[in-house]
Amino acid sequence: MSSIRLFILGSLAQRGEMHGHQLKLLAEEERVQLWTDISVGSLYGALKRLHAEGLISGVRIEQEGNFPARQVYAITDLGTDALGKLRDDGLSDFVLRPDPFDLALTRLDPERLDALPGTITARVEKLARILRNTIETNTRARPHLSLAEAYALEHREKRLRAEIEWHESLIAVLPDIVADERTRTHQPLPHDSKDGRAS
């Protein structure tokens, strides 16, 4: 599911014809980079791809004063169909990406185990700062949001709170993890069952 395609097609469907700069301003106004995986800088490339695929069409060129001429786009019938699928996928699919932290936690440096509590505590403090900033941003934005938009932003808050809660439970068992790592022995390398060689 492509968030940037959903943003562009959904914005054109909701708000009507727009040029790339208007879409960029809308993305910045909604601060999509804070609560989606959209990079505002990639909007123009996505517009070109959507146009090439026939999902949007160029309806006219606009120029104001000394600003460069801008192509205004509208969503096509094909784009409306694609938007419907993107909406359905976005509402029904669940994305839980692996966090590299989990792999790093299982591949600890035995020479730096004493530093582990400080590293995890610093990570929790960073998450807490992100949560505070998210809450402040959401509080400022809330008077300007629809009910659905408010709930979408609240989702990020809830996920951050759950992440912090899990990390705090990890901190509680760090002495046991460090002790376990100090005594752990690794199993022999896996072998190919056919000829006995290491795979």
Side-chain angles (χ1 to χ4, degrees):
M1 211 288 292
S2 170
S3 298
I4 197 160
R5 292 164 77 89
L6 177 55
F7 173 77
I8 292 171
L9 295 174
S11 298
L12 292 174
Q14 284 182 336
R15 294 171 177 253
E17 300 168 355
M18 283 189 275
H19 53 65
H21 188 63
Q22 288 170 315
L23 282 161
K24 180 175 178 285
L25 292 175
L26 179 62
E28 290 170 350
E29 180 183 297
E30 294 183 350
R31 291 184 167 87
V32 295
Q33 76 280 3
L34 297 179
W35 54 280
T36 73
D37 58 356
I38 294 171
S39 165
V40 175
S42 61
L43 278 169
Y44 292 103
L47 278 169
K48 288 180 183 176
R49 288 190 297 277
L50 291 169
H51 185 259
E53 293 171 33
L55 302 181
I56 60 175
S57 62
V59 292
R60 67 181 176 281
I61 302 289
E62 281 185 358
Q63 185 164 13
E64 297 177 22
N66 293 327
F67 291 105
R70 293 179 170 135
Q71 176 69 63
V72 177
Y73 295 99
I75 190 168
T76 64
D77 290 341
L78 192 60
T80 300
D81 292 342
L83 174 59
K85 178 157 181 13
L86 287 167
R87 282 174 172 151
D88 289 345
D89 289 349
L91 291 171
S92 60
D93 291 351
F94 177 71
V95 177
L96 185 63
R97 291 185 177 88
D99 187 340
F101 174 87
D102 297 325
L103 180 59
L105 185 62
T106 67
R107 300 292 188 275
L108 295 170
D109 181 349
E111 305 300 320
R112 301 189 64 234
L113 291 173
D114 290 336
L116 187 60
T119 300
I120 304 303
T121 299
R123 181 177 166 95
V124 173
E125 289 168 357
K126 181 178 180 180
L127 286 167
R129 282 195 304 274
I130 294 170
L131 176 59
R132 283 194 301 274
N133 291 339
T134 299
I135 291 169
E136 289 170 10
T137 299
N138 291 357
T139 301
R140 285 195 307 270
R142 199 159 277 119
H144 312 287
L145 300 177
S146 70
L147 188 57
E149 289 168 336
Y151 265 85
L153 291 187
E154 185 184 344
H155 191 196
R156 180 176 169 85
E157 281 184 41
K158 300 278 188 184
R159 293 181 87 164
L160 283 165
R161 288 182 196 280
E163 193 72 16
I164 290 169
E165 182 182 345
W166 180 84
H167 278 76
E168 288 171 344
S169 72
L170 173 66
I171 288 173
V173 298
L174 277 180
D176 296 333
I177 289 174
V178 169
D180 182 62
E181 288 295 314
R182 291 193 196 285
T183 60
R184 190 160 74 117
T185 56
H186 296 283
Q187 298 295 323
L189 289 174
H191 285 74
D192 187 315
S193 58
K194 293 180 182 174
D195 57 14
R197 292 179 301 170
S199 54

